[in-house]
């Protein structure tokens, strides 16, 4: 057993034993031994004869940081990255980690609320707007095209849709992908060396889905099918970027809606977005998995300030390669949920090449004014180009109609 007390003889000055250092740092001796083995917190000196560990008191601040990070639940491998950073970069990393925790908690909360609604209605479908809709009314004049929903419509529902991508004005390669079909509406925004392959693979993984024919699946079965579909996209992206030199640096966002004939299932990860036009109002029904969005959520930034935030568009969640040693790792499990549908609804899915440069009021005006989805996607790509087209653009629009 290590002796309590002090030891000298190191160039950094007087050292303390592991027992004394445990008291100073609020970490147990057992934890300190474990962190030494992992290379997370090395002692300043190990006695070559008896193996006693001695620490420099200057290490206390770093050890306390380790203890605090463990207290918030941060994994040890991520703590190792944080303690190696300077104070400013460490603060960014901790913010990113906690924002991801909150995003994942919000996704579980949404599922819990859905289950409460579902069980309370004894198997009935949801009958209200989702709680996680952004519910921010856009400004501008009202319009009627594609916006007058009615729950009393008689007859089977179907979707009419269109999709379009554009390289933009500045970029030389298009890494965005979009798809619109009778069962699937999807956009993906690729990044990194294998970004184009990742976005295409994510959408392609959703196309073979045959679940929900004729709306036969129950709500519970549909949620399970959505989870399976999301997992397929995760695997497809990992396989697509595996040949890259740095697969962890390549990946894609994904926002998709899958149509069963009576319900829409939403799969979402990253900062591409889904909007719903209903009753003349445009609602954002996804939540960005980004550092800027987390700063809006905690009050550090206002929505107006976020539009001109100088920092990089840092994603907290995305579909990425298997290895993730980067300073800010991202999660790769998409959020899934069910979306209520009314005849007359119009849905817009888009990458941030559109939403980051065109404000919500102009988005709403374009979506309302278009007579059909084909016209809508052309108008939207035109707006992005008029705003300078700094990024690739992907968008898809679908109308819910009575057959």
């Amino acid at each position: 057993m290590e002796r309590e007390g002090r030891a000298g003889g190191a160039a950094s000055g007087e050292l303390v034993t592991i027992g004394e250092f445990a008291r100073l740092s609020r970490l147990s001796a057992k934890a300190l031994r474990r962190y030494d083995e992992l290379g997370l917190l090395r002692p300043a000196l190990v006695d070559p004869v008896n193996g006693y560990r001695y620490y420099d008191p200057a290490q206390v601040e770093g050890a306390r940081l380790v203890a605090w990070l463990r207290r918030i639940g941060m994994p040890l491998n991520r703590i190792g990255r944080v303690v190696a950073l300077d104070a400013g970069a460490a603060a960014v990393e901790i913010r990113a980690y906690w924002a991801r925790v909150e995003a994942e908690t919000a996704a579980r909360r949404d599922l819990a609320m859905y289950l409460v609604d579902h069980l309370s209605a004894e198997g009935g479908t949801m009958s209200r707007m989702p709680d996680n809709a952004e519910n921010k009314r856009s400004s501008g004049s009202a319009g009627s095209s594609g916006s007058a929903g009615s729950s009393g419509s008689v007859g089977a529902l179907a979707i009419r849709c269109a999709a379009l991508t554009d390289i933009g004005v500045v970029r030389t390669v298009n890494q965005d992908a979009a798809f619109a079909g009778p069962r699937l509406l999807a956009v993906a925004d690729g990044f990194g060396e294998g970004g184009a392959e990742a976005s295409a693979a994510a959408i392609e993984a959703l196309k073979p889905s045959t679940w929900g024919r004729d709306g036969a699946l129950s709500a519970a079965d549909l949620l399970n099918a959505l989870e399976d579909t999301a997992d397929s996209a995760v695997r497809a992206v990992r396989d697509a970027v595996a040949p890259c030199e740095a697969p962890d640096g390549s990946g894609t966002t994904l926002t998709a809606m899958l149509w069963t004939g009576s319900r829409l299932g939403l799969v979402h990860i990253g900062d591409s977005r889904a909007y719903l036009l209903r009753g003349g109002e445009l609602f954002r029904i996804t939540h960005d998995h980004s550092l800027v969005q987390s700063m809006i959520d905690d009050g550090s930034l206002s929505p107006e300030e976020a539009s001109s935030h100088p920092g990089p568009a840092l994603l907290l969640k995305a579909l990425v390669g298997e290895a993730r040693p980067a300073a800010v790792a991202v999660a790769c499990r998409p959020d899934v949920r069910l979306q209520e549908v009314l005849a007359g609804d119009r849905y817009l899915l888009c990458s941030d090449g559109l939403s980051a440069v065109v404000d919500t009021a102009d988005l709403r005006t374009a979506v309302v004014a278009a007579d059909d989805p084909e016209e809508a996607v052309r108008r939207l790509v035109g707006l992005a180009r008029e705003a300078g087209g700094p990024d690739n653009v992907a968008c898809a629009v679908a109308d819910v109609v009575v057959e």
Side-chain angles (χ1 to χ4, degrees), residues 87-141:
V92 171
E93 170 74 358
I94 294 167
R95 178 188 287 278
Y97 167 76
W98 192 249
R100 174 184 145 188
V101 170
E102 290 183 328
E104 292 173 345
T105 301
R108 292 195 294 270
R109 179 200 64 211
D110 293 339
L111 178 56
M113 291 302 98
Y114 164 74
L115 293 173
V116 170
D117 287 350
H118 174 65
L119 296 173
S120 298
E122 296 182 347
T125 58
M126 292 187 297
S127 59
R128 59 178 177 83
M129 283 291 292
D131 285 338
N132 59 346
E134 293 300 307
N135 287 337
K136 294 179 181 177
R137 185 172 182 172
S138 59
S139 59
S141 59

